[in-house]
Amino acid sequence: MRGLTLKNIAKACAGEYIGCEEAKNQEVTSVETDSRKIKQHSLFIALLGEKVDGHDFVTQVFEQGAACVISEKKL
């Protein structure tokens, strides 16, 4: 996922990057919507589904090594 940095992701989503300045240029290795598939440096997209709210797993995915989360909710 060459070039897919946290800074570029925030810009592409018209979102707000919240995190340490040093990590802005970190590249993500994968993009996941399933918290069980998170690997080191993954990007997790927290989706609100009919049965499960991905926002409930934000703490867990960071513990699993996620580099960042795209979220509709301010966490």
Side-chain angles (χ1 to χ4, degrees):
M1 310 214 92
R2 195 167 176 89
L4 192 55
T5 64
L6 304 184
K7 176 180 170 181
N8 291 342
I9 293 165
K11 183 177 178 181
C13 295
E16 177 184 359
Y17 172 78
I18 300 171
C20 63
E21 192 65 30
E22 302 83 43
K24 274 184 146 175
N25 293 314
Q26 179 182 344
E27 293 184 357
V28 300
T29 56
S30 65
V31 177
E32 306 293 345
T33 58
D34 185 336
S35 62
R36 298 168 294 186
K37 295 182 179 181
I38 294 296
K39 299 175 186 76
Q40 193 70 19
H41 304 295
S42 293
L43 161 64
F44 178 66
I45 302 175
L47 299 175
L48 178 58
E50 289 182 26
K51 297 181 181 182
V52 179
D53 184 348
H55 297 88
D56 294 340
F57 300 96
V58 170
T59 301
Q60 176 186 330
V61 298
F62 279 124
E63 289 171 355
Q64 290 170 237
C68 65
V69 171
I70 292 180
S71 169
E72 292 182 272
K73 298 178 181 179
K74 193 160 191 146
L75 305 169

